[in-house]
Amino acid sequence: MAAKAEHPNVLCTVDVVLLTLRDDALQVLLLRRTAEPFAGALALPGGYVHAQSDHDASDAAARVLRDKAGVESPYLEQLATFSGPARDPRGWSVSIAHFALLPESLLPPLHEGAVWKPVERLPALPFDHRQIVQEAVERVRAKSQYSSLPVHLCGERFTLPQLQAVYEAVLGEPVNKVSFRRKIDELGMLEPIEGEFTAGGAHRPAQLYRLRKAFRHVLSTSGRGLNSGA
Amino acid sequence: MAAKAEHPNVLCTVDVVLLTLRDDALQVLLLRRTAEPFAGALALPGGYVHAQSDHDASDAAARVLRDKAGVESPYLEQLATFSGPARDPRGWSVSIAHFALLPESLLPPLHEGAVWKPVERLPALPFDHRQIVQEAVERVRAKSQYSSLPVHLCGERFTLPQLQAVYEAVLGEPVNKVSFRRKIDELGMLEPIEGEFTAGGAHRPAQLYRLRKAFRHVLSTSGRGLNSGA
DNA sequence: TGAATAGTGTCTCTAAGACAATATAGC
DNA sequence: GCTATATTGTCTTAGAGACACTATTCA
């Protein structure tokens, strides 16, 4: 039918907010754009949806991360869709925004033109990328209150004190140790490993844990969260 | 540039899950399709994004509701975006799904071919509309736990017992009266009106309330919800 | 043994749910 | 007064945070 001909002029893209923890702060990956518009500016990794090859929008986001950032299989979740006539100078556009989490230990070597920026100190960004980053951070913080989301910022093996530090960095506030450990236990997503953490410490070593298989790509949630708001 | 020519074949649409409360049950508006594909089938109100006139995707959703269902200004929120090559037989498509809430009292007379169906007893639906409805209902239930969302299913004036009944119908479970009133008070979104509820009752009348101006299109949220599950 | 951090026991305090008392209408 | 529902008071209980004690390692 004539639908395609009648409504051909919507640009369909994906953008990805890739977050990691560096220097105890949430940081977002920005790439220097090589093409117009905004060539030379730092922006989120993004690109057109490829109707020929992408299985869906999240698949497009994964492809963008793989091709443009060298990131292989991070935790990836749809954030929201941004749209309108003005956000992209090329015309009426839709961006199906996603966010992704990756532990610093799994980051690939940075491509030329790729930089990490703390989400609290963003440079000027083209399109509506600033708003997209802000909504992604809000979403991550909100979900971290009551779910296992931040484990995806840890490597495969980690101790509870390490995981607590990750939660605190993401939430931006200290977390009660006893409550934290109760909550983690209640979420039932971790299993201890026999090897222990020995590190440089002149102190008691910490038990290493890993994510149970069942939670590899599913979040665990609990009714009530940690600090229920500053 | 050549972008539009390179990537023209993504259909960009919106679908709307319009929910109301009828007979103490959440019900969704379905329209009988008049055009292919799936002409004659019941489906969600939806349509193409009009790049010429729509301000953004939510504006497109509001237009679809207005034109196809006669609904003027309901509470409207973006749900998620569904995409892929198979969900629409016309080709690779994107649907920016929204949900809307409207009190039964404000429903317009039903157009020809429009029907309400309880969300627990959906008929077969084309596209991925069943999944869209299910995710909308999940979202509404989740947000109702800790926010003022269900007030948008009440008319302009209502009593606390009425509002509690709405919460219970949405959540599908009874709510503790004392906790409920404490929570509503804490949310600070309602103000009492001087007129009282007189109705048929051979009993004490209930105070009428209305939503404060500031919360007309903004939700009020609290850290911990009502029944936190099961 | 002392320092440092890991892990746990337990008390306190907040807030949700249960229960029931009181309030106010129509009859 | 009697019935029915609205509204409020207060007790119980679950769970989050504070505090501090014990455990274990290395120097």
Side-chain angles (χ1 to χ4, degrees):
Chain A
M1 69 179 278
K4 292 182 187 178
E6 283 172 25
H7 307 281
N9 38 359
V10 171
L11 306 175
C12 192
T13 68
V14 293
D15 287 307
V16 186
V17 181
L18 176 63
L19 297 170
T20 196
L21 220 43
R22 289 162 54 101
D23 308 325
D24 287 328
L26 262 189
Q27 305 212 10
V28 58
L29 179 72
L30 300 174
L31 303 181
R32 201 162 290 284
R33 290 179 60 83
T34 55
E36 291 297 339
F38 304 114
L42 286 174
L44 293 174
Y48 288 103
V49 168
H50 290 180
Q52 309 78 13
S53 54
D54 292 328
H55 179 262
D56 59 19
S58 291
D59 190 43
R63 172 181 51 76
V64 162
L65 272 184
R66 192 169 51 242
D67 293 352
K68 300 201 174 179
V71 169
E72 206 38 66
S73 59
Y75 175 84
L76 183 65
E77 181 178 327
Q78 186 182 309
L79 173 63
T81 296
F82 298 79
S83 58
R87 54 178 302 281
D88 187 317
R90 287 167 289 189
W92 215 101
S93 66
V94 159
S95 168
I96 305 163
H98 290 67
F99 71 89
L101 303 181
L102 202 62
E104 188 177 13
S105 60
L106 294 185
L107 294 180
L110 274 190
H111 289 200
E112 172 76 12
V115 295
W116 290 98
K117 292 287 184 184
V119 297
E120 305 295 357
R121 291 194 178 77
L122 291 179
L125 296 177
F127 309 103
D128 48 5
H129 284 188
R130 184 183 194 85
Q131 186 191 354
I132 294 177
V133 173
Q134 285 175 339
E135 290 197 22
V137 171
E138 277 172 36
R139 174 80 66 88
V140 169
R141 293 213 165 115
K143 291 191 82 158
S144 296
Q145 295 275 358
Y146 61 88
S147 83
S148 61
L149 188 62
V151 300
H152 297 286
L153 291 168
C154 286
E156 202 183 331
R157 317 151 128 268
F158 49 85
T159 68
L160 290 185
Q162 287 172 340
L163 183 60
Q164 180 173 350
V166 169
Y167 270 83
E168 290 176 337
V170 171
L171 296 174
E173 60 187 5
V175 165
N176 182 280
K177 182 170 56 165
V178 179
S179 301
F180 176 75
R181 297 172 90 105
R182 266 195 301 243
K183 185 63 67 180
I184 293 298
D185 183 57
E186 175 187 312
L187 290 175
M189 62 190 174
L190 301 185
E191 58 187 7
I193 318 176
E194 301 324 304
E196 293 197 355
F197 196 41
T198 170
H203 56 271
R204 176 173 174 176
Q207 173 70 56
L208 276 171
Y209 289 83
R210 69 179 154 225
L211 202 55
R212 289 185 200 279
K213 274 262 172 59
F215 295 93
R216 196 72 192 89
H217 285 97
V218 178
L219 296 184
S220 176
T221 63
S222 84
R224 186 171 173 181
L226 296 163
N227 290 316
S228 58
Chain B
M1 69 179 277
K4 291 180 189 179
E6 283 171 26
H7 306 281
N9 37 358
V10 171
L11 307 174
C12 192
T13 69
V14 293
D15 287 306
V16 186
V17 180
L18 176 63
L19 297 170
T20 196
L21 220 43
R22 289 162 53 101
D23 307 326
D24 288 327
L26 263 189
Q27 304 211 11
V28 58
L29 180 72
L30 299 175
L31 304 181
R32 201 162 292 282
R33 291 179 60 83
T34 55
E36 293 295 341
F38 304 114
L42 287 174
L44 293 174
Y48 287 103
V49 168
H50 290 181
Q52 309 79 14
S53 54
D54 293 328
H55 180 263
D56 59 19
S58 292
D59 189 43
R63 172 180 51 76
V64 162
L65 272 185
R66 192 168 52 243
D67 293 352
K68 301 202 174 179
V71 169
E72 205 39 66
S73 59
Y75 176 83
L76 183 65
E77 180 178 326
Q78 187 182 307
L79 173 63
T81 297
F82 298 78
S83 59
R87 53 178 301 283
D88 187 319
R90 288 168 289 189
W92 215 103
S93 66
V94 159
S95 169
I96 305 164
H98 290 68
F99 71 88
L101 304 181
L102 202 62
E104 188 176 11
S105 60
L106 295 184
L107 293 180
L110 275 191
H111 289 201
E112 171 76 12
V115 294
W116 290 98
K117 291 289 183 182
V119 297
E120 305 295 358
R121 290 196 179 75
L122 291 179
L125 296 177
F127 309 104
D128 47 5
H129 285 189
R130 183 184 196 85
Q131 186 192 354
I132 295 177
V133 173
Q134 284 175 340
E135 289 197 22
V137 171
E138 276 173 36
R139 175 80 67 90
V140 169
R141 294 214 164 117
K143 290 190 82 156
S144 296
Q145 295 276 358
Y146 60 89
S147 84
S148 62
L149 188 63
V151 301
H152 297 287
L153 290 168
C154 286
E156 201 181 331
R157 317 150 127 268
F158 47 87
T159 68
L160 291 186
Q162 287 172 339
L163 183 60
Q164 181 174 349
V166 169
Y167 269 83
E168 290 175 336
V170 171
L171 296 175
E173 60 188 3
V175 164
N176 182 279
K177 182 169 53 168
V178 179
S179 300
F180 175 74
R181 295 171 91 105
R182 265 194 302 240
K183 185 62 67 180
I184 293 298
D185 182 59
E186 174 187 312
L187 290 174
M189 61 190 176
L190 300 185
E191 57 187 7
I193 318 175
E194 301 323 301
E196 293 197 353
F197 197 41
T198 169
H203 57 270
R204 176 172 175 178
Q207 173 70 55
L208 275 171
Y209 289 83
R210 69 178 155 227
L211 202 55
R212 289 185 200 279
K213 276 262 173 56
F215 295 94
R216 195 73 190 89
H217 285 97
V218 178
L219 297 184
S220 177
T221 63
S222 84
R224 186 172 172 182
L226 297 163
N227 290 315
S228 57

